[in-house]
Amino acid sequence: MDGRPPIITLLSDFGLRDPYVAEMKAVILTICPRAVIVDISHGVRRHDIRMGTYILYRATRYFPKGTIHVAVVDPGVGTKRKPIVIETKRSTYVGPDNGLLALPAGKEGILHVYEIRNPKYILREVSRTFHGRDIFSCAAAHIANGVPPSKLGPELSDFVKPIFAKPRVIDGERIIGEIIYIDGFGNLVTDVSPSELTLLGIEEGDEAKVVIGGRTLKLRLCAAYGDVPAGSPLLIFGSAGLLEVSINMGDAARSLNVKVGDRVVLEPLYKS
Amino acid sequence: MDGRPPIITLLSDFGLRDPYVAEMKAVILTICPRAVIVDISHGVRRHDIRMGTYILYRATRYFPKGTIHVAVVDPGVGTKRKPIVIETKRSTYVGPDNGLLALPAGKEGILHVYEIRNPKYILREVSRTFHGRDIFSCAAAHIANGVPPSKLGPELSDFVKPIFAKPRVIDGERIIGEIIYIDGFGNLVTDVSPSELTLLGIEEGDEAKVVIGGRTLKLRLCAAYGDVPAGSPLLIFGSAGLLEVSINMGDAARSLNVKVGDRVVLEPLYKS
Amino acid sequence: MDGRPPIITLLSDFGLRDPYVAEMKAVILTICPRAVIVDISHGVRRHDIRMGTYILYRATRYFPKGTIHVAVVDPGVGTKRKPIVIETKRSTYVGPDNGLLALPAGKEGILHVYEIRNPKYILREVSRTFHGRDIFSCAAAHIANGVPPSKLGPELSDFVKPIFAKPRVIDGERIIGEIIYIDGFGNLVTDVSPSELTLLGIEEGDEAKVVIGGRTLKLRLCAAYGDVPAGSPLLIFGSAGLLEVSINMGDAARSLNVKVGDRVVLEPLYKS
């Protein structure tokens, strides 16, 4: 261990009004007083594992090697779903085995997955409804103190993976993608990557035909929101590296009446 | 003093949009740079001392011995209500003398109560509207630096206690309790404890007759939300150790149209 | 450098649901693990530079000398507006050159303004939409590590200043001021200072004629909200040192139907 204090991040669907997040932090600081705790988000929609996964996936990339991520979107708490720890090449993930951790952990290269079972590293009394406090935070704090994840319980060979639609390029002529996230500004994050747009021959400055929310729009692929007038829609590669449909100074989700899971179809516009 | 940095928690009804919470933290870090500050909640309903007390009571139990808790739900700020410090066997509580601190402090065993009056340990200019910053945070930071609470002002022999209804077991046949808190998931926290339910002979797995929100329901006392189908109501001992009425994957407060302060009546169901 | 860990504050219009704030913190802690990060507010209205400036102005006064303030309300991100650092006599401000930083920095005495351009102190890949993470947080963390602001880029001789209305005393008989902020309690913060009210001869305990929201009210200048009955309006110097129109235990913004930017006219009431 070097002199850097260990970082533990927290993500949940608990909100910030209730005492739940504070109880998790209290458990962590009791066990590991030098831990630096960083909230990723507690505004995940109740039980929305997919939204939690997207936020976790985005944010964890920027944390330093060795960070411990605790994530709790856990509709199956108290049932047979297992509490797990995933050790990757960069970080450690602690949470329920319901698909929440698989995507960000997988991206980093998974080394081992363990079920959390050793009573030494969880609270003495485990409630049926709040494993975020009684199991996950407690285990994470022990890991921050140097306990190897392999001590927490038996290694698992399998765990739950989430299912996402993948954008498809049809006949090299159009992409059928999906809205996977809507941020607080109303920006529509799709699952379309730069390389897919390149396959269609759409480059920065080009216009594309976009079918979304029952409408057909002609949108330019811009480098900045301010490249179109205030109130106008545009395409832009957002800070997650994925294609977004946005409105400069406006709210695309509201204006286009679109929600997470909706389809977006993209086609190049050929000069006639 | 050992090497553990002092922990100061904050609870208020200030919300997170305004600069108020940040100003409290700024005052604390100016006086005690090594303090670890943890937000318990700033989402207490405006002036709702009872809601603040419940959240404080729940969360403080999990913090380590020696933690300093600053709580500010303070409709009487600037009037004659006193600023106080309560020293307990585990922690120190700093806030207004209006009932907010009495319940969690009482549970830990109160040693001394002091009025905060010594100008050495409060800001030079005390505003009439923001004692959270000018008095409470400042006093707490000095305590974190090692100033004994007895230096803050004269000892008080009396202070304000909050009034809560207590659930009553009538004729050993039914419990009349109350909804004391509704969390962000819509779970209805009652003031009914496990021992009271045991008095009625209701055990895990049993069904009980529950009168709530003008309806009479037959609910099972479950160990996990997932013990009933999604959308179904249940009884469960929540993570506060109190009986809750919940809906698996749903929002009991909205579905049952219930608010804090509403009555809940419980009766065992006898086999006929 | 003494032993105090460096403090970096964050203010933005990002909200707390999305991963954006966490990504900024991750960048900071990767570069400067000992930084203490304090959120001032992430609840600034989208693109509302003026609201951001007011919150920043209020809160920064209470932070210790040497604090680094990162502020991001940045509708022009990705356009020609410059990323800047302002060095003052007390602190360092990092953010967009759009007027957001000028007021709080100006109050402290500006020493130097630099454009952030040195690629050594920003992320290798700078997105077009999220300079808060890629430029501002990164630069701030390097400054926290001891890099002098002058190394970040060329000195600027000019930068954007925000425009605020100033309250005016007309003929020594009335003040025409403006609502500059409404807090979460519904208190109406005006731009009227104590000295201006003194010019009109209005002192604590006096009543004044107040024209606001199309109504004419007779309000007393009080020392505490509790000086008038619950539900009654009053004048009070709030914790920012500015005159506020409030309702004891109520919400003045809603009751008086007033919004930011509305006019407020004050006149003394002479004994007849």
Side-chain angles (χ1 to χ4, degrees):
Chain A
M1 267 192 278
D2 60 11
R4 288 174 84 107
I7 300 175
I8 298 178
T9 78
L10 302 179
L11 173 136
S12 78
D13 59 354
F14 296 156
L16 289 172
R17 202 200 61 168
D18 294 328
Y20 306 143
V21 172
E23 292 177 13
M24 291 174 69
K25 293 179 181 177
V27 167
I28 290 170
L29 290 172
T30 300
I31 297 165
C32 181
R34 38 193 298 275
V36 170
I37 304 173
V38 180
D39 295 307
I40 289 185
S41 174
H42 299 288
V44 176
R45 209 173 299 112
R46 309 291 172 202
H47 306 142
D48 190 337
I49 293 169
R50 187 170 154 156
M51 177 177 172
T53 266
Y54 173 76
I55 295 177
L56 195 63
Y57 169 74
R58 266 206 57 143
T60 54
R61 290 187 292 159
Y62 291 94
F63 281 89
K65 206 162 183 281
T67 298
I68 300 158
H69 302 290
V70 177
V72 196
V73 181
D74 196 11
V77 63
T79 64
K80 281 177 301 179
R81 75 96 191 88
K82 291 171 184 147
I84 58 169
V85 178
I86 305 182
E87 222 182 335
T88 78
K89 289 176 184 163
R90 291 194 76 235
S91 332
T92 308
Y93 289 81
V94 184
D97 181 23
N98 63 11
L100 182 64
L101 312 177
L103 186 71
K107 183 85 177 182
E108 298 180 359
I110 294 176
L111 299 175
H112 301 282
V113 183
Y114 303 97
E115 186 179 346
I116 306 174
R117 267 217 232 150
N118 190 336
K120 207 170 147 186
Y121 301 118
I122 60 180
L123 289 196
R124 212 164 329 167
E125 283 183 53
V126 172
S127 70
R128 253 53 172 272
T129 58
F130 193 4
H131 289 184
R133 179 190 66 201
D134 304 338
I135 297 180
F136 304 134
S137 294
C138 189
H142 283 293
I143 294 168
N145 274 342
V147 173
S150 59
K151 295 246 173 153
L152 297 183
E155 183 150 9
L156 297 178
S157 56
D158 200 22
F159 57 95
V160 177
K161 281 141 205 115
I163 295 155
F164 284 89
K166 283 275 173 57
R168 290 161 298 173
V169 180
I170 307 292
D171 301 332
E173 283 188 356
R174 73 174 65 96
I175 297 170
I176 301 179
E178 194 182 330
I179 307 299
I180 60 167
Y181 189 74
I182 296 174
D183 76 7
F185 291 83
N187 297 315
L188 311 171
V189 183
T190 74
D191 53 357
V192 178
S193 66
S195 59
E196 286 162 323
L197 226 54
T198 305
L199 274 181
L200 286 198
I202 300 173
E203 296 180 350
E204 202 176 291
D206 289 352
E207 284 189 325
K209 187 176 137 187
V210 181
V211 184
I212 186 168
R215 280 185 237 211
T216 302
L217 304 169
K218 202 166 72 175
L219 302 182
R220 185 177 303 280
L221 180 59
C222 296
Y225 300 122
D227 288 353
V228 299
S232 293
L234 65 145
L235 295 173
I236 190 165
F237 280 102
S239 52
L242 294 168
L243 190 72
E244 301 184 12
V245 180
S246 300
I247 290 180
N248 184 26
M249 304 288 293
D251 184 314
R254 211 178 320 173
S255 298
L256 300 174
N257 196 21
V258 170
K259 57 184 194 312
V260 168
D262 282 4
R263 230 163 82 139
V264 54
V265 183
L266 292 132
E267 281 181 44
L269 276 175
Y270 299 106
K271 287 125 204 154
S272 56
Chain B
M1 266 194 278
D2 60 12
R4 289 172 84 106
I7 299 175
I8 298 178
T9 77
L10 302 179
L11 173 137
S12 78
D13 58 354
F14 295 156
L16 289 172
R17 202 200 60 167
D18 296 327
Y20 305 142
V21 172
E23 293 177 13
M24 292 174 68
K25 293 179 180 176
V27 166
I28 289 169
L29 291 172
T30 300
I31 297 166
C32 182
R34 34 192 304 273
V36 171
I37 304 174
V38 180
D39 295 307
I40 290 185
S41 173
H42 299 288
V44 175
R45 208 174 300 113
R46 309 292 172 201
H47 305 142
D48 189 337
I49 293 168
R50 188 170 153 156
M51 177 177 172
T53 268
Y54 172 76
I55 294 177
L56 195 63
Y57 169 74
R58 268 206 55 145
T60 54
R61 290 188 292 159
Y62 291 93
F63 282 89
K65 208 164 182 279
T67 298
I68 300 158
H69 302 290
V70 177
V72 196
V73 181
D74 196 11
V77 62
T79 66
K80 281 177 302 177
R81 75 97 191 86
K82 291 172 185 146
I84 58 169
V85 177
I86 305 182
E87 222 183 334
T88 78
K89 288 175 185 163
R90 290 194 76 236
S91 332
T92 307
Y93 289 81
V94 184
D97 181 23
N98 63 11
L100 181 64
L101 312 176
L103 187 71
K107 184 84 176 183
E108 298 180 0
I110 294 175
L111 299 175
H112 301 282
V113 183
Y114 302 98
E115 185 180 345
I116 306 174
R117 267 216 233 150
N118 190 337
K120 207 170 148 186
Y121 302 118
I122 60 180
L123 289 195
R124 213 165 328 169
E125 282 184 52
V126 172
S127 71
R128 255 53 173 272
T129 58
F130 193 4
H131 289 183
R133 178 190 67 199
D134 304 338
I135 297 180
F136 304 134
S137 294
C138 189
H142 283 294
I143 294 168
N145 274 342
V147 173
S150 60
K151 294 247 174 154
L152 298 183
E155 183 151 9
L156 297 177
S157 56
D158 201 22
F159 58 95
V160 177
K161 280 141 206 114
I163 295 155
F164 285 89
K166 282 274 172 58
R168 288 159 300 172
V169 179
I170 306 293
D171 300 332
E173 283 189 353
R174 74 174 64 95
I175 297 171
I176 301 180
E178 195 181 329
I179 307 299
I180 61 167
Y181 189 74
I182 297 174
D183 76 9
F185 291 82
N187 297 315
L188 310 170
V189 183
T190 74
D191 53 356
V192 178
S193 66
S195 60
E196 285 161 323
L197 226 55
T198 305
L199 274 181
L200 285 198
I202 301 173
E203 296 179 350
E204 202 176 291
D206 289 352
E207 284 189 325
K209 186 176 139 189
V210 181
V211 184
I212 186 169
R215 281 184 236 211
T216 301
L217 305 168
K218 205 166 70 175
L219 303 182
R220 186 176 303 279
L221 180 59
C222 296
Y225 300 121
D227 288 353
V228 298
S232 294
L234 65 145
L235 294 173
I236 190 164
F237 280 102
S239 53
L242 293 168
L243 190 71
E244 301 184 12
V245 181
S246 299
I247 291 180
N248 183 25
M249 304 290 292
D251 184 314
R254 212 179 318 175
S255 298
L256 300 174
N257 196 22
V258 170
K259 58 184 194 311
V260 168
D262 282 4
R263 233 164 80 140
V264 55
V265 182
L266 293 132
E267 281 181 47
L269 276 176
Y270 299 105
K271 287 122 203 156
S272 58
Chain C
M1 268 195 276
D2 60 11
R4 291 174 83 106
I7 300 175
I8 298 178
T9 77
L10 302 179
L11 173 137
S12 77
D13 58 355
F14 296 156
L16 289 172
R17 201 201 61 169
D18 296 326
Y20 306 142
V21 173
E23 292 177 14
M24 291 175 69
K25 294 180 181 177
V27 167
I28 290 169
L29 291 172
T30 300
I31 297 166
C32 182
R34 40 194 297 275
V36 171
I37 303 174
V38 180
D39 295 307
I40 289 184
S41 173
H42 299 288
V44 175
R45 208 174 300 112
R46 308 294 171 200
H47 306 141
D48 189 337
I49 293 169
R50 188 169 153 158
M51 178 177 171
T53 267
Y54 172 76
I55 294 178
L56 195 63
Y57 169 73
R58 267 207 56 146
T60 54
R61 292 187 292 159
Y62 291 94
F63 282 89
K65 208 162 182 281
T67 298
I68 300 158
H69 302 290
V70 177
V72 196
V73 181
D74 196 10
V77 63
T79 65
K80 280 178 303 180
R81 75 97 192 88
K82 291 171 184 147
I84 57 169
V85 177
I86 305 182
E87 222 183 335
T88 78
K89 288 175 184 163
R90 291 195 75 235
S91 333
T92 307
Y93 289 81
V94 184
D97 181 23
N98 63 10
L100 181 64
L101 312 176
L103 187 71
K107 185 83 177 186
E108 297 180 359
I110 294 175
L111 299 175
H112 302 283
V113 183
Y114 303 98
E115 186 179 346
I116 306 174
R117 268 218 230 148
N118 190 336
K120 207 169 147 186
Y121 302 117
I122 61 180
L123 289 195
R124 213 164 330 168
E125 282 183 54
V126 172
S127 70
R128 254 54 173 271
T129 57
F130 193 5
H131 289 185
R133 178 190 67 201
D134 304 338
I135 297 180
F136 304 135
S137 293
C138 189
H142 283 293
I143 294 169
N145 275 342
V147 173
S150 59
K151 295 247 175 151
L152 298 182
E155 183 151 9
L156 298 177
S157 56
D158 200 21
F159 57 95
V160 177
K161 281 143 206 110
I163 294 155
F164 284 89
K166 282 275 172 59
R168 288 160 298 172
V169 180
I170 306 293
D171 300 332
E173 282 187 357
R174 74 175 64 95
I175 297 170
I176 302 180
E178 193 182 329
I179 307 299
I180 60 167
Y181 189 74
I182 296 173
D183 76 10
F185 291 82
N187 297 314
L188 310 171
V189 183
T190 74
D191 53 356
V192 179
S193 65
S195 60
E196 285 162 323
L197 226 55
T198 305
L199 274 181
L200 286 198
I202 300 172
E203 295 179 351
E204 201 176 290
D206 289 351
E207 284 188 325
K209 187 177 136 185
V210 181
V211 184
I212 187 168
R215 280 184 237 210
T216 302
L217 305 168
K218 204 166 73 177
L219 302 182
R220 186 178 303 281
L221 179 59
C222 295
Y225 299 123
D227 288 354
V228 299
S232 294
L234 65 144
L235 295 173
I236 190 164
F237 281 102
S239 53
L242 294 168
L243 190 71
E244 300 183 13
V245 181
S246 299
I247 290 179
N248 183 26
M249 304 288 293
D251 184 314
R254 211 178 319 173
S255 299
L256 300 174
N257 195 22
V258 170
K259 60 184 193 312
V260 168
D262 282 4
R263 230 162 82 139
V264 55
V265 183
L266 292 133
E267 282 181 44
L269 277 175
Y270 299 105
K271 286 124 203 157
S272 55

